[in-house]
Amino acid sequence: MDGEAPAKPGEQKVANRRAGWKMHVILALCLLQAANALKGPRLVSGKAGGTVTIQCHYNPSSINRHQRKYWCRLSPLMWLCHTIVSTNHYTHLRYRGRVAIADFPHSGLFVVKLSQLSSDDAGSYRCGIGNRNEVLYSSMNLAVSAGPPSPSTSPSASPSASLSPSASTSPRATSAAGLSSEHVLPEHPSYGEGEQPNKGVGQVV
């Protein structure tokens, strides 16, 4: 504008430093919010033949409530996470009949249950939210020890039978049962065999 004196070099440097400092603070707050948006157990342990139940808590924002929830297993060779089960009504062929997932959107919680454990199930996993498996997730390790399961465990029961944390909650559940082979397509490393991303859904916040 006419009559406005240009900023001095020293003043300009101070202004630039303040702007950079503000950007760092905003970035740190965004990263902190993302880190706290999803929480799950770091270590899950069970016995061969038994069952494990995994609870993953998330920020129940309007976007997160409608996003895809998933549980995937990390590949040690390519570091890809292959979907085991998701709320897109997908279940990996090898896990059908012994894994289930249930989402409780208003509680900010989804639950995964894996039964009939074996030593082959031990490894690294993720529970997460979003169309892809590498955006918002919580990592965990599953350890399987030898020995009979505890008396309260019923390996033959349907894995979706006791997913609900309370009788009054109505989850969106996906069971391993009732899926035919026609759902199986070539595997995508981020989604899993036959799984497709949600369309028209916004970013996770």
Side-chain angles (χ1 to χ4, degrees):
M1 293 178 64
D2 295 339
E4 184 177 354
K8 297 180 180 180
E11 295 176 351
Q12 187 64 39
K13 289 182 179 180
V14 172
N16 290 339
R17 289 176 181 175
R18 288 178 178 175
W21 177 79
K22 290 180 180 179
M23 290 299 298
H24 284 301
V25 171
I26 293 173
L27 179 60
L29 290 175
C30 291
L31 292 175
L32 181 61
Q33 181 180 9
N36 293 330
L38 182 64
K39 294 182 179 179
R42 294 292 184 182
L43 176 64
V44 181
S45 59
K47 294 183 178 181
T51 300
V52 291
T53 301
I54 302 161
Q55 295 189 2
C56 297
H57 300 265
Y58 59 90
N59 180 9
S61 65
S62 58
I63 294 179
N64 285 347
R65 287 200 303 266
H66 297 92
Q67 281 278 8
R68 161 185 173 265
K69 315 301 188 304
Y70 65 88
W71 193 53
C72 63
R73 182 170 186 173
L74 281 168
S75 169
L77 299 179
M78 296 181 291
W79 206 248
L80 298 175
C81 203
H82 298 275
T83 307
I84 294 175
V85 65
S86 80
T87 53
N88 277 5
H89 304 286
Y90 169 80
T91 305
H92 194 286
L93 182 63
R94 296 178 183 176
Y95 292 85
R96 291 182 183 178
R98 66 189 191 98
V99 71
I101 187 170
D103 186 22
F104 304 88
H106 296 289
S107 300
L109 168 71
F110 68 95
V111 183
V112 176
K113 187 172 183 180
L114 180 65
S115 61
Q116 303 173 35
L117 291 172
S118 71
S119 58
D120 293 336
D121 293 322
S124 299
Y125 295 80
R126 291 174 181 172
C127 65
I129 304 174
N131 291 336
R132 304 187 69 86
N133 293 359
E134 68 274 1
V135 179
L136 181 59
Y137 59 84
S138 177
S139 300
M140 66 193 69
N141 289 320
L142 172 61
V144 180
S145 60
S150 61
S152 61
T153 303
S154 180
S156 60
S158 172
S160 60
S162 58
L163 283 174
S164 176
S166 64
S168 60
T169 308
S170 298
R172 293 200 302 263
T174 298
S175 173
L179 295 179
S180 63
S181 59
E182 63 184 0
H183 291 84
V184 180
L185 298 175
E187 183 171 358
H188 187 288
S190 295
Y191 308 121
E193 296 178 2
E195 187 180 20
Q196 298 297 328
N198 293 325
K199 296 182 180 179
V201 180
Q203 288 285 354
V204 177
V205 294

